[in-house]
Amino acid sequence: MTKRKVQAIRHIGFEDLGSFQAPLRAAGYEIEYVDVAEQEVASLDPLAADLLVVLGGPIGVNDHAAYPVITEEIELLRARLAADRPTLGICLGAQVMAAALGARVYPGSQKEIGWSPLELTATDTPNPLAALHDVPVLHWHGDTFDLPEGCARLASTPICHNQAFSRGPNILGLQFHPEALAARFEHWLLGHASELATAGVSPVALRRDTALNGKTLEEAGTRLLAEWLARLA
């Protein structure tokens, strides 16, 4: 059987597919990482992969002058989303997707870093995030975005109104991190140490909360992705 391919655009080594790797492989996907520091995003065929995932990272959509890769990603996603090819964005990835769909991306009222549950939105069809009901998820962002035209809001938090959106079965943007692995979380704390210090967020508290919530999120995140993959058109 020919395997399907997922391309995962990765901005920083430790923000990878995490717990999502297992359900992807179980669904028959071969995983290919595209590290933007080493490979030209503009060289990618926007329609080639069976699934495209744009992962998180420490830069923002509005940093395009300093980091031209953002512009390349927006152009790639414009073409892919116009063709309604299966696409998933996580944190920065969701923001890039929103920008590619014409929505405004801008600084939020405050940074949202830490663990808290989502308020899931009532939707006309089953909410793709149902597996996360009452499950604390990892938030790690300063920017937010307006809901793109033609998309459905899936979840909110008191700090961030637009935590997730979908457009039909194939397009899903997640502002939070459902893929984080507790066993590798020290990479996050070390890699983002400067941001945590600037934001006044305690790595000790984050480490403690990850120990409490990480396993539950891994299980729920795995269900979320497996269910979403099964519904792809």
Side-chain angles (χ1 to χ4, degrees):
M1 183 179 73
T2 302
K3 283 202 168 190
R4 291 171 289 182
K5 182 172 74 171
V6 54
Q7 284 184 327
I9 295 180
R10 181 165 56 182
H11 304 91
I12 188 167
F14 57 83
E15 291 199 35
D16 56 17
L17 287 165
S19 67
F20 281 5
Q21 292 187 140
L24 281 165
R25 290 186 174 121
Y29 285 89
E30 182 180 76
I31 296 170
E32 175 191 327
Y33 281 104
V34 178
D35 288 295
V36 301
E38 300 174 5
Q39 184 172 346
E40 290 283 340
V41 171
S43 70
L44 299 177
D45 180 344
L47 307 184
D50 297 287
L51 171 63
L52 181 70
V53 182
V54 185
L55 296 164
I59 58 177
V61 167
N62 296 311
D63 296 330
H64 52 83
Y67 300 99
V69 67
I70 291 294
T71 301
E72 295 178 9
E73 289 181 27
I74 290 173
E75 291 302 317
L76 179 83
L77 283 167
R78 278 183 181 146
R80 186 170 180 90
L81 297 173
D84 197 38
R85 294 284 283 150
T87 307
L88 171 65
I90 299 174
C91 200
L92 171 60
Q95 296 167 8
V96 176
M97 285 175 63
L101 290 168
R104 185 172 64 108
V105 181
Y106 52 94
S109 60
Q110 64 185 86
K111 280 186 178 288
E112 188 173 28
I113 301 176
W115 291 82
S116 67
L118 302 163
E119 181 180 341
L120 300 187
T121 306
T123 54
D124 294 335
T125 57
N127 191 317
L129 308 187
L132 298 181
H133 177 67
D134 285 341
V135 175
V137 301
L138 177 65
H139 305 276
W140 203 310
H141 67 101
D143 288 348
T144 187
F145 48 80
D146 292 335
L147 183 67
E149 185 176 353
C151 295
R153 180 183 298 107
L154 301 178
S156 300
T157 60
I159 293 175
C160 181
H161 191 49
N162 294 316
Q163 278 285 353
F165 65 87
S166 63
R167 193 189 70 189
N170 289 347
I171 309 302
L172 183 62
L174 308 174
Q175 176 66 86
F176 55 95
H177 286 278
E179 84 294 358
L181 282 170
R184 301 190 66 242
F185 193 65
E186 201 67 23
H187 290 280
W188 292 62
L189 297 178
L190 293 168
H192 294 313
S194 179
E195 181 183 14
L196 292 177
T198 301
V201 176
S202 167
V204 175
L206 269 180
R207 187 182 294 112
R208 177 199 64 217
D209 291 346
T210 301
L212 289 171
N213 299 304
K215 187 63 176 176
T216 301
L217 178 61
E218 288 169 26
E219 293 171 354
T222 296
R223 289 199 308 274
L224 178 160
L225 190 67
E227 291 168 3
W228 182 69
L229 292 173
R231 290 193 294 264
L232 290 178

